[in-house]
Structures are given as C-alpha cells and as structure tokens.
C-alpha cells in the first residue's frame, strides 16, 4: 500500500490565497496507485465534486494524473462507449442499448453504473425582492412548458399567499445539450405531475418554448443575469452564483428547500434496481416525507465490470475507492452535494474492489 497525506485546507478545501497563512495539513490515508493516468468526462452535475476529489487525491497520490472534462452526461457516455476515457460520468443510468454497445470493448463483461455522488436539482430564479418562493410539480411543469408565462399567474400566487408577485414575463431556461440533469427533472415532473408533463424522461429537452444554455454553468449564469428567469441546476451552482432557490410543495408539512440533508433523505428512499454489479437506483418522486427533497439525482461513474484498460485499472480502482470512501464522501456537504447512504456506498466499494 502506498499511503498519501492529503492537505485539507481551510474553507472546505479551497486553495489558500497568497495573502492568507498556509493552513495546517490534515493527514489521511489513501491506498494510492504508484502511477497512472485517468481520463474521464461527462456530467456537469458532478464537476464541482470531481474537481475537489481530483485535487485532494492528487495531493495524496502525486504519481497519478487525473483529468475530468465536464461535457455533459450524453457526451461523456458516448466517449466512454468508444473507449476514449477510463470512466464516464452520467446523471442517469445506462440504457439497454448502451450496455449492449459496451460489450464490444469490455472483454468478457459490460459497462456498469456506480452511484458516486448525490444531490438536489435546484430550481433557481431571479426576482428582485423575493427570496422565498414556493412551487409544486404541476406548476413547475406548466412554467417549463410555457403554459404559465407570467410571474403573477394565479397558480403561482396560490402557492405564495402574502407575497406580491410582479407583473413580469417568465424566462424559463433549459439545457441545450443532452443532460442527465434534464433527464432527472423530466423524470420528476413526469412522476409527480404526469397530467401536466407528457414528456419522457430523456436527456434531451422536449418541452415547448423557453430559452436554452449549455451545461449547468450556462443555465445558472443565464438565470443569475436575467431578471424574471427560472432554471434548473445542481445546488452548488446556485450557491456559487448566489441564486435564490425554490422550495417545493410535496404534501409534506412544510415545503422543502434543496440542501445536502434534504436530498439525502430523498435519495434514501430510492431502490437499487440494477442487475448483477450494476447499481441503477430508482427514485420515489412522489414522496411526501417531511424534509425529503423530491428532485434528486445521483451521478454515476460508468466503468467496465471486466475488461477495463490495464494501463489505468490500478489508478481507476484507487481513485474510485477514495471517492466512494468515508474521506471522499464526507467532504460533499461542504460543496452542496449529498453523500451516498452508507449501505449504498459500502456496496459501491465492494464492486470497485472486484473490477478487472
């Protein structure tokens, strides 16, 4: 075993600034690979977590170089399925067609989904003077399908008594690229408001009208810069851009705001419906449990169960064991992600140990 000492800096692990004293390092043990190069790509939902993980792992294990390109779930899976990367990041589990394609370059095996990081899909908005807004699934469906186009619409006002909503047009922003974040929002709306959302849970946006932007960073930037806008992205983007987020009325005693804790409560109700070592999760989008945020996603790392690239296998197993381990998971709430439930994380580590 090669042991590495990570330098955990102040303020949740950010790099120290020149005008600040060097923080005291905190040592942790990682079973480092001695050397190797890992290339991954995919989900923008996990890019902030991946950035932190890579930084911390490489501090502990300087012989390994890791690069992650946040190009969206669809493109990341496509790159992995043609052998261009050692792992892909996706906010939705592989489809049957993807699994069949993967058999051609996973000799003797197939691609599998490993849940790695969870979190809420926040619905962010920009309305001057309004920093607390409640919406429910049917109303969100009508907004993103451009059937509710004004902020003072009676359906929005009904959910927000006592708040004077502006006579202002709604600018609804969605992803332009194929996205697991979009797929998870589609799944939530079709699961919780089927009568109002006739669209399938696909990575491509299907609803009518609206404006588009590339990546979660593009959507969050558009919302931050446009008065009257609303969009969807991971909570870390809302925090970075200082965007107000919607509380969701689910039938619980109180509308639920997105947070690492509320997302974990939502994820804990998911069922493992994968086959063999595949760990696809199925969410309960109709949950009305108190404190359980219903629009959640889990980002999966896609790897071969058998037939991974020999040159990168040791580094791949080492890095993913760290991210699914206690040290990798415990840093997630500080950057607005939800750790995996303990039972799920333990199974992920068991599967990683068996990768070949």
């Amino acid at each position: 075993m090669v042991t590495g000492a990570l330098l955990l800096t102040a303020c949740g692990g950010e790099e120290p600034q020149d005008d600040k004293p060097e923080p005291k390092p905190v040592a942790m043990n990682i079973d480092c690979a001695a050397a190797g190069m890992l290339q991954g790509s995919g989900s923008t939902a996990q890019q902030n977590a991946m950035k932190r993980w890579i930084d911390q792992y490489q501090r502990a294990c300087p012989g390994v170089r890791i690069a992650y390109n946040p190009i969206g779930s669809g493109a990341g899976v496509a790159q992995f399925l043609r052998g261009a990367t050692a792992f892909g990041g996706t906010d939705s589990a592989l489809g049957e067609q993807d699994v069949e394609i993967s058999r051609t370059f996973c000799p003797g095996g197939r691609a599998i989904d490993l849940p790695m990081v969870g979190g809420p899909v926040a619905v962010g908005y920009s309305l001057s003077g309004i920093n607390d807004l409640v919406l429910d699934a049917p109303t969100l469906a009508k907004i993103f399908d451009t059937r509710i186009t004004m902020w003072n619409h009676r359906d929005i006002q009904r959910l927000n008594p006592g708040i004077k909503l502006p006579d202002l047009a709604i600018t609804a922003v969605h992803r332009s690229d194929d996205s697991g974040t979009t797929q998870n929002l589609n799944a939530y709306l079709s699961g919780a408001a089927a009568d109002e959302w006739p669209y399938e849970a696909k990575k491509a946006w299907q609803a009518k009208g609206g404006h588009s932007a590339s990546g979660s960073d593009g959507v969050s930037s558009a919302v931050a810069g446009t008065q009257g806008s609303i969009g969807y992205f991971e909570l870390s983007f809302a925090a970075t851009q200082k965007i107000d987020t919607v509380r969701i009325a689910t039938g619980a005693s109180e509308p639920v705001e997105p947070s690492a804790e509320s997302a974990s409560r939502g994820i804990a109700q998911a069922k493992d419906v994968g086959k063999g070592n595949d760990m696809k999760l199925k969410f309960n989008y109709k949950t009305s449990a108190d404190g359980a945020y219903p629009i959640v996603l889990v980002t999966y790392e896609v790897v071969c169960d058998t037939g991974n690239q020999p040159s990168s296998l040791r580094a791949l197993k080492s890095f993913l064991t760290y991210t699914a381990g206690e040290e990798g998971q415990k840093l997630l709430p500080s950057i607005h992600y939800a750790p995996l439930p303990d039972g799920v994380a333990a199974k992920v580590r068991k599967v990683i140990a068996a990768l070949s």
Side-chain angles (χ1 to χ4, degrees):
M1 177 185 292
V2 178
T3 300
L6 290 184
L7 303 179
L8 296 182
T9 66
C11 302
E14 295 297 329
E15 295 284 353
Q17 302 299 313
D18 292 340
D19 59 346
K20 295 181 180 180
E22 183 77 19
K24 183 179 180 179
V26 178
M28 4 184 241
N29 293 326
I30 294 179
D31 184 7
C32 292
M37 296 185 66
L38 282 181
Q39 178 69 47
S41 68
S43 163
T44 63
Q46 70 171 8
Q47 72 181 77
N48 293 330
M50 191 60 68
K51 180 180 179 181
R52 183 68 60 84
W53 279 335
I54 291 171
D55 175 69
Q56 302 290 61
Y57 180 86
Q58 290 184 156
R59 291 183 186 214
C61 310
V64 179
R65 306 309 300 168
I66 306 172
Y68 181 79
N69 187 8
I71 56 177
S73 295
V77 169
Q79 284 196 348
F80 176 78
L81 291 177
R82 64 174 181 264
T85 55
F87 68 94
T90 177
D91 310 329
S92 55
L94 296 168
E96 288 300 322
Q97 184 177 4
D98 293 331
V99 172
E100 289 306 310
I101 293 172
S102 75
R103 296 184 190 278
T104 64
F105 67 89
C106 294
R110 52 156 287 186
I112 57 173
D113 304 285
L114 297 178
M116 197 59 67
V117 56
V121 178
V123 178
Y125 66 95
S126 289
L127 284 176
S128 293
I130 298 177
N131 56 17
D132 183 21
L133 185 72
V134 174
L135 296 173
D136 59 13
T139 306
L140 278 171
K142 293 175 191 174
I143 288 172
F144 281 113
D145 203 24
T146 60
R147 286 179 285 133
I148 291 179
T149 60
M150 299 297 293
W151 278 110
N152 60 354
H153 189 280
R154 60 182 180 276
D155 288 358
I156 303 177
Q157 191 67 73
R158 171 180 53 82
L159 292 164
N160 296 274
I163 295 178
K164 182 174 177 56
L165 293 164
D167 183 16
L168 178 68
I170 297 173
T171 300
V173 186
H174 59 263
R175 290 279 289 270
S176 60
D177 52 324
D178 285 1
S179 160
T181 311
T182 294
Q183 187 165 22
N184 278 277
L185 180 70
N186 278 328
Y188 165 69
L189 292 175
S190 62
D195 291 343
E196 302 295 345
W197 194 256
Y199 308 108
E200 297 180 33
K202 294 184 176 181
K203 293 179 181 178
W205 187 255
Q206 305 158 77
K208 299 176 294 185
H211 299 259
S212 66
S214 178
S216 292
D217 48 355
V219 174
S220 59
S221 294
V223 171
T226 308
Q227 184 64 198
S229 61
I230 187 170
Y232 59 94
F233 30 78
E234 294 68 41
L235 186 59
S236 57
F237 291 92
T240 299
Q241 298 271 13
K242 296 181 171 53
I243 298 171
D244 291 319
T245 57
V246 170
R247 291 192 295 144
I248 305 297
T250 64
S253 59
E254 293 289 338
V256 186
E257 65 179 342
S259 69
E261 180 181 4
S262 65
S264 288
R265 290 181 180 178
I267 293 168
Q269 300 183 57
K271 295 181 179 180
D272 182 352
V273 296
K275 299 177 182 178
N277 283 336
D278 184 68
M279 293 188 63
K280 177 181 179 180
L281 301 180
K282 182 178 181 180
F283 299 114
N284 176 14
Y285 294 111
K286 291 186 176 181
T287 182
S288 58
D290 281 351
Y293 188 76
I295 320 177
V296 292
L297 62 77
V298 165
T299 291
Y300 301 90
E301 310 311 334
V302 177
V303 297
C304 296
D305 58 358
T306 297
N308 289 283
Q309 301 168 20
S311 61
S312 59
L313 178 60
R314 178 69 183 91
L316 177 68
K317 294 174 70 171
S318 172
F319 177 62
L320 294 184
T321 297
Y322 157 66
T323 62
E326 180 182 353
E327 300 292 355
Q329 292 289 305
K330 74 180 183 182
L331 65 78
L332 293 175
S334 69
I335 49 175
H336 310 288
Y337 290 100
L340 297 174
D342 290 342
V344 174
K347 184 176 179 181
V348 170
R349 292 193 295 272
K350 183 177 180 180
V351 174
I352 293 168
L355 296 179
S356 63

